[in-house]
Amino acid sequence: DLETKNHLGSVMPARGSHSSARDPWSSPTAALDKKTETLSTLTQSTSPTTDNTGTPSPCLNQQRDMTTVTPCAAKASLAPCPLCPQGSLPASAAHEAYSPKGEQKQLGGTSAYVVGDARFGSAIVVAHDVFGGDWGLHKQVCDMLAEGGHLVVMPYFFTSAPYSIEPFYAGNIVPQGKEWLSEFDWAHCSKILEPVHTFLDEAGITRVGAIGYCWGAWVVAKMTQDPSKCHAGVWAHPSCQVDRELYGGVSEKELAAAIRSPTLVLPSRHEPAFYSDGSLEGVASGNGVAWETVKFGDQSHGWMTRSAGWLGKYYEAGSDQIKAAVGVQRAVNASLGFYAKHLPY
């Protein structure tokens, strides 16, 4: 089989191909295969290290660059996310052929991927999905948003090992994965965002939007409750049920009722009907909040961040890889158009 280039510019591996590249996830994944391993083994503290200059370095997840991992290394992750709707795409590793255009930065105590130019005067804060910002297309989509004319910042919200929910799925210990994810409630996430807002203020940014994928859509829903800090939000294949399921919060409709900034929802065919049938829009409109929905009925939950890495059965279906790549580009276009209206010059 020959390598195939998708429409996003990354190179897809031939089906059945293998790589001898080192997999930095092999250690936690191997440990998870042992049913006797405990949660403490996975979530043991990884404190910041110090380099030879005495300067603290980022934690393990902040140093790891998944662009060095081949999609074959993520084969253990082909099981879908139990927190996501049935039929969702599995995790995908960032492909080694793509070189991110941004850089990792320490913003106060927050590690973040930053790309774009502050001279645009507007910024997009990206909230990653449950697999974390180093997986799949996260950095590539950040780069695409930056090319649309924004400074883009993706903070890393998961600050304890294993820094992604993927190893819990690979090890078939999903309940422990949900317990781990429950650590990252709004009190935690808002603290992660504080130095991000400071960074944007110091950069002279006056208009801030946000986009979140899956779990990250819930983060955006919380951000847009304060219109002084976030002026427009996008939910991509949202999993906002985590507010009530993991954090003792409210329903999706109650969450929408608390939003005060314009919101665009990009549901796939797998999200519950209320994301696309006007139910949430009716709630928001009653509060004078602009609300738009663009349904991607031919896409699966997770397509924006997981559909063009290792595609699993998507890749084997052949033409579907083009459909998935086009879906990512269309979703980016829709988001940029929404920001153009609500983050005005």
Side-chain angles (χ1 to χ4, degrees):
D1 289 344
L2 299 175
E3 291 184 335
T4 306
K5 254 182 195 177
N6 69 18
H7 284 200
L8 296 177
S10 61
V11 178
M12 299 303 302
R15 181 177 47 187
S17 64
H18 296 277
S19 171
S20 60
R22 181 181 65 85
D23 176 10
W25 285 91
S26 59
S27 179
T29 302
L32 281 166
D33 288 336
K34 302 175 183 178
K35 301 297 184 180
T36 57
E37 286 290 346
T38 63
L39 182 62
S40 61
T41 302
L42 278 172
T43 58
Q44 60 185 336
S45 173
T46 308
S47 302
T49 57
T50 302
D51 60 23
N52 56 13
T53 65
T55 303
S57 301
C59 294
L60 177 62
N61 72 314
Q62 299 159 355
Q63 295 173 326
R64 180 182 292 122
D65 181 358
M66 290 302 295
T67 59
T68 63
V69 182
T70 65
C72 290
K75 278 190 173 181
S77 306
L78 290 182
C81 164
L83 286 175
C84 301
Q86 186 174 5
S88 303
L89 290 165
S92 63
H95 196 269
E96 61 181 350
Y98 184 76
S99 297
K101 299 175 182 178
E103 57 183 336
Q104 300 294 138
K105 286 183 176 290
Q106 286 295 118
L107 308 179
T110 297
S111 178
Y113 176 74
V114 180
V115 61
D117 195 323
R119 290 175 294 182
F120 284 119
S122 59
I124 307 301
V125 178
V126 174
H128 55 68
D129 68 13
V130 291
F131 295 103
D134 285 332
W135 282 84
L137 290 176
H138 279 91
K139 292 178 181 177
Q140 193 164 350
V141 174
C142 285
D143 294 349
M144 295 166 75
L145 291 169
E147 289 173 355
H150 304 281
L151 176 65
V152 177
V153 180
M154 179 177 65
Y156 287 76
F157 291 98
F158 301 155
T159 54
S160 65
Y163 309 107
S164 169
I165 207 164
E166 187 275 338
F168 294 100
Y169 298 156
N172 196 28
I173 51 172
V174 174
Q176 291 94 322
K178 291 183 178 180
E179 180 182 348
W180 170 80
L181 191 60
S182 69
E183 298 176 19
F184 310 115
D185 58 11
W186 182 239
H188 168 87
C189 292
S190 60
K191 290 181 180 178
I192 293 292
L193 288 166
E194 285 177 5
V196 174
H197 289 301
T198 299
F199 169 73
L200 296 178
D201 288 342
E202 293 175 349
I205 299 297
T206 58
R207 302 176 299 280
V208 179
I211 184 170
Y213 317 105
C214 180
W215 172 88
W218 164 78
V219 175
V220 173
K222 301 294 283 188
M223 291 177 66
T224 48
Q225 291 180 16
D226 184 351
S228 69
K229 291 185 177 179
C230 186
H231 307 108
V234 178
W235 303 1
H237 40 87
S239 292
C240 292
Q241 79 278 2
V242 297
D243 196 60
R244 53 183 167 79
E245 291 185 1
L246 296 182
Y247 307 121
V250 299
S251 70
E252 292 89 336
K253 289 186 178 180
E254 291 171 303
L255 198 62
I259 290 173
R260 294 295 178 267
S261 297
T263 295
L264 169 66
V265 182
L266 307 176
S268 74
R269 64 177 181 260
H270 291 129
E271 277 73 53
F274 59 75
Y275 280 113
S276 55
D277 67 5
S279 298
L280 300 182
E281 181 177 2
V283 171
S285 297
N287 292 325
V289 175
W291 195 278
E292 296 182 25
T293 304
V294 179
K295 185 172 182 178
F296 284 74
D298 63 343
Q299 299 294 332
S300 297
H301 175 90
W303 91 90
M304 278 199 77
T305 54
R306 307 174 209 164
S307 66
W310 176 261
L311 297 178
K313 63 182 180 181
Y314 253 37
Y315 180 73
E316 294 179 13
S319 62
D320 274 359
Q321 85 176 74
I322 297 176
K323 180 176 70 177
V326 170
V328 174
Q329 183 65 68
R330 295 292 182 266
V332 169
N333 292 350
S335 301
L336 289 173
F338 187 74
Y339 295 137
K341 287 192 291 184
H342 298 289
L343 303 179
Y345 292 102

